[in-house]
Amino acid sequence: MATFFGEVVVAPSRAGLDEEEEAREETPEDREIRREIEKKRYGRLGLGVRVEIDVVWTWKSGGDAVEPLVCSRFIVAIGRNAAAFLSSFILDSVCWEVVGVVKLWNEWCRTSSTTNVLPTDSFCLFYRLIADPTVLLCQCSCYVAEDQQFQWLEKVFGSMQKKGVQVTILSTCPVADYKTQESTLTLASPFLKALKTKEFQEQVCCPLLEQPNIVRDLPAA
């Protein structure tokens, strides 16, 4: 339970449910829809092997991360607008180098299936600050399906050490979706609101997001 509104809390997840429990809750129509989606995603492989998301770190030989990546700050920009913000105001210098990519395939996003992925082949890139290699950025401008979000988090955060890392998420949503008593037509846009966990002790750079607004999809995950 949140101690104040605007705090990020961990909600119960269905990600750990076994397939039998999920199957009992599915209707025949749900199963048919899921099968059709799986055919589109995995039928092209022709091997019966599910390969949805793969994280490739380019400075490791073969792309395998043997030891957890040491990271002090991890900034993730999710969505085209947030990714464009990073490109315009942070990455527009020679201070960063590409160190990894996420290979992803779903109905709306198809990245390259090659082993050596170039920045132009992916819509989800990792950058490392040359002056401080423990600072990482992630530009994720591609669509991550609802049933892929847990795997995305598991693969990305499974590659780095968890202790002492500060994670910052940047995302955007339409002003029309913002819930407020005043007219959205009079709001100065764009504007910035924040959510934070109780572990985040620093001062936030903007006001907290008011009730009953929420975040969704990968930023919420």
Side-chain angles (χ1 to χ4, degrees):
M1 187 178 205
T3 55
F4 61 91
F5 186 81
E7 178 185 1
V8 178
V9 295
V10 179
S13 172
R14 290 173 52 84
L17 296 179
D18 57 45
E19 293 183 1
E20 291 183 3
E21 186 173 350
E22 285 189 347
R24 285 196 297 270
E25 298 177 1
E26 281 185 330
T27 65
E29 287 126 352
D30 291 336
R31 285 194 294 272
E32 182 62 29
I33 291 172
R34 181 166 55 82
R35 279 195 297 266
E36 289 301 318
I37 291 176
E38 288 179 350
K39 282 180 187 177
K40 289 181 179 179
R41 287 188 187 171
Y42 316 120
R44 67 189 183 95
L45 296 177
L47 298 174
V49 179
R50 295 188 179 186
V51 182
E52 296 183 45
I53 294 175
D54 189 21
V55 179
V56 179
W57 298 104
T58 56
W59 81 88
K60 301 280 186 181
S61 70
D64 295 327
V66 178
E67 297 181 358
L69 181 66
V70 178
C71 181
S72 61
R73 290 180 181 266
F74 185 39
I75 302 173
V76 187
I78 301 174
R80 294 184 182 276
N81 291 333
F85 174 82
L86 280 190
S87 294
S88 300
F89 296 100
I90 298 179
L91 293 172
D92 190 19
S93 68
V94 295
C95 300
W96 303 87
E97 60 178 344
V98 176
V99 293
V101 297
V102 173
K103 297 196 295 185
L104 181 67
W105 199 98
N106 57 43
E107 295 76 59
W108 302 101
C109 177
R110 304 181 186 186
T111 58
S112 172
S113 60
T114 58
T115 303
N116 298 318
V117 182
L118 299 174
T120 54
D121 295 329
S122 177
F123 298 98
C124 190
L125 294 171
F126 296 97
Y127 295 86
R128 180 169 61 182
L129 184 62
I130 297 176
D132 184 358
T134 67
V135 178
L136 293 180
L137 298 181
C138 176
Q139 269 187 316
C140 183
S141 59
C142 61
Y143 170 74
V144 180
E146 184 176 341
D147 60 335
Q148 294 178 318
Q149 291 168 12
F150 177 77
Q151 189 184 24
W152 193 97
L153 293 169
E154 191 177 44
K155 292 286 184 71
V156 171
F157 285 95
S159 303
M160 59 183 67
Q161 51 86 17
K162 311 296 189 302
K163 189 175 181 181
V165 57
Q166 178 179 303
V167 181
T168 303
I169 310 295
L170 304 176
S171 65
T172 60
C173 69
V175 175
D177 291 345
Y178 180 63
K179 296 174 178 62
T180 177
Q181 292 184 340
E182 56 182 303
S183 171
T184 55
L185 297 176
T186 62
L187 291 173
S189 60
F191 57 89
L192 193 63
K193 300 286 182 176
L195 294 172
K196 72 183 186 72
T197 63
K198 61 183 178 181
E199 286 80 12
F200 186 84
Q201 300 299 324
E202 298 180 24
Q203 181 154 7
V204 293
C205 61
C206 59
L208 294 177
L209 188 66
E210 309 93 341
Q211 298 185 42
N213 295 286
I214 60 173
V215 293
R216 297 180 176 85
D217 302 322
L218 189 58

